[in-house]
Amino acid sequence: MSPHPFKPVNNLILRWLLFGCGWLAVVLGVAGIFLPVLPTTPFLLLAAACFLRSSEHFYLWLLQHPRLGNYISYYLDGEGIPARARTYTLCLMWGTILISAALMQNWPLRLMLLAIACGVSLYLLRMKTRAEPTTTEPGLPPSSSAKSPMADTPD
């Protein structure tokens, strides 16, 4: 994935507003890693768009970040997400949604949580599956790779 050319906004007030929105989106995206109802990738994509128009330094920082950059690159390169990342995301999301819904007393909120989880699940299941890398350690047959199960997940 190659970064888009930096095109800053000329208006200084708008540039600072975009910069602030970019950081707010980064904070919400990082929170979304730990909170299943808050989406991570859309907030990080919003942050990248805001930084693209306000700060080249932070735009490149976000794209090259060892953890957050994966969320953006998986989406922007159009190759989809790894199957392991999809499985991990769906299991974690449904586990926390079901626990949250079971602890709630309010039926409309339970239904809303389940509807959101269904929508996110449909979105994830319709995305392309990224081909698994075929790298193995020397001396191991191709079918028994020594990778950890979470190697392809964007943490």
Side-chain angles (χ1 to χ4, degrees):
M1 174 194 68
S2 62
H4 294 285
F6 178 64
K7 298 177 184 174
V9 172
N10 292 330
N11 184 330
L12 187 61
I13 295 171
L14 184 57
R15 186 181 300 176
W16 278 102
L17 185 63
L18 285 169
F19 185 74
C21 287
W23 273 110
L24 177 63
V26 168
V27 168
L28 291 172
V30 169
I33 294 171
F34 305 102
L35 303 172
V37 177
L38 202 59
T40 300
T41 304
F43 282 120
L44 294 177
L45 289 171
L46 175 62
C50 289
F51 289 152
L52 180 63
R53 301 301 305 266
S54 64
S55 171
E56 182 177 21
H57 174 76
F58 286 105
Y59 173 67
L60 294 174
W61 169 81
L62 186 59
L63 291 182
Q64 296 167 356
H65 192 275
R67 302 279 189 211
L68 303 178
N70 289 341
Y71 287 98
I72 298 166
S73 67
Y74 286 170
Y75 187 83
L76 292 180
D77 69 8
E79 291 183 28
I81 63 172
R84 290 179 185 174
R86 176 182 294 141
T87 303
Y88 173 77
T89 302
L90 287 171
C91 290
L92 182 64
M93 179 188 67
W94 275 103
T96 53
I97 290 287
L98 291 174
I99 290 170
S100 299
L103 295 175
M104 290 183 145
Q105 301 298 322
N106 191 337
W107 276 98
L109 287 179
R110 283 182 181 176
L111 293 175
M112 184 181 74
L113 278 177
L114 294 174
I116 291 170
C118 287
V120 172
S121 296
L122 284 173
Y123 176 76
L124 285 172
L125 292 170
R126 292 185 70 196
M127 287 182 75
K128 287 184 191 176
T129 302
R130 177 183 290 269
E132 295 286 335
T134 57
T135 60
T136 60
E137 287 188 18
L140 293 177
S143 62
S144 64
S145 174
K147 290 183 350 180
S148 74
M150 301 308 297
D152 290 331
T153 59
D155 298 84

